[in-house]
Amino acid sequence: MAKKSGKEPAKADKNGKLGNKEYARELKKLHVELVKLQEWVKHAGLRVVVVFEGRDTAGKGGTIKAITERVSPRVFRVIALPSPTEREKSQMYVQRYLPHFPAAGEVVIFDRSWYNRAGVERVMGFTDERVVKRFLQVAPGFEKLMVESGIILLKYWLEVSPDEQTRRLKARIDDGRKI
């Protein structure tokens, strides 16, 4: 059997899924690219913010874990803010995020972002409709300021079908690692 050159595309099954060995091979190539990115960010003094949003069980945590498992935690930082404190509920919403923004040579990955105010925090009763409406008006301007200040902003939305989400939620019931 001939050895793959690394230039050939990965072979997926009829459902578009890679086998475990093929997945590991492809992930290794992507990790090499992430290390190159890390070195470029450090060398160029770039500031990068990556935001992962999406449905529960869509794979945000797994994606972030795959990204960060082979890079330096001094360059790549993951921020997953907890529910807001009473004090934080009274602050301008983005105040919770600003202290975590990157300095030169850093990549900050947010596991959910300032958009939680408009979604999760409204549903959980941490904020009201008036605050959400105002937040949605100012959020694009806030992101514009970020980009104009030199921050590279990347936003990703991950989603799964309702059936897949139900399957994953049920799987969490019996798996103590997924609580």
Side-chain angles (χ1 to χ4, degrees):
M1 180 175 204
K3 186 176 178 182
K4 283 190 159 193
S5 68
K7 301 289 183 189
E8 301 166 25
K11 301 287 186 211
D13 68 14
K14 65 181 183 241
N15 296 320
K17 293 189 178 192
L18 298 177
N20 289 340
K21 287 182 182 178
E22 197 66 34
Y23 174 81
R25 232 185 327 270
E26 292 301 309
L27 189 58
K28 183 177 178 181
K29 288 186 228 175
L30 292 172
H31 281 145
V32 169
E33 294 304 314
L34 281 166
V35 171
K36 290 178 187 177
L37 171 70
Q38 173 180 272
E39 295 308 307
W40 175 57
V41 166
K42 286 180 1 187
H43 175 76
L46 300 176
R47 294 176 296 147
V48 181
V49 170
V50 183
V51 174
F52 284 96
E53 297 278 7
R55 295 175 67 115
D56 286 344
T57 74
K60 295 177 295 296
T63 300
I64 291 168
K65 182 179 177 185
I67 289 170
T68 58
E69 69 184 354
R70 297 287 181 193
V71 293
S72 171
R74 288 179 292 282
V75 177
F76 280 75
R77 288 186 291 119
V78 177
I79 306 299
L81 296 180
S83 299
T85 64
E86 287 304 312
R87 182 174 188 275
E88 289 169 334
K89 289 178 192 177
S90 72
Q91 293 176 332
M92 188 173 88
Y93 192 69
V94 296
Q95 281 180 261
R96 296 180 66 207
Y97 292 89
L98 290 174
H100 303 287
F101 273 33
E106 293 181 341
V107 176
V108 174
I109 299 172
F110 284 103
D111 185 344
R112 301 201 185 246
S113 74
W114 37 94
Y115 287 103
N116 267 2
R117 168 143 266 167
V120 175
E121 291 198 7
R122 175 176 44 194
V123 171
M124 299 299 292
F126 298 142
T127 192
D128 62 44
E129 288 299 319
R130 178 187 55 78
V131 173
V132 169
K133 185 176 180 181
R134 180 66 184 138
F135 167 76
L136 289 173
Q137 291 170 338
V138 300
F142 168 67
E143 290 179 347
K144 185 175 188 242
L145 288 171
M146 288 173 60
V147 172
E148 287 174 351
S149 77
I151 291 174
I152 297 169
L153 175 61
L154 305 167
K155 300 188 306 185
Y156 294 95
W157 175 267
L158 303 181
E159 188 162 336
V160 292
S161 70
D163 289 343
E164 179 63 14
Q165 184 179 34
T166 299
R167 187 191 69 75
R168 290 179 182 187
L169 287 169
K170 285 180 179 176
R172 286 182 178 183
I173 292 170
D174 297 321
D175 191 337
R177 299 168 299 166
K178 297 180 179 182
I179 293 174

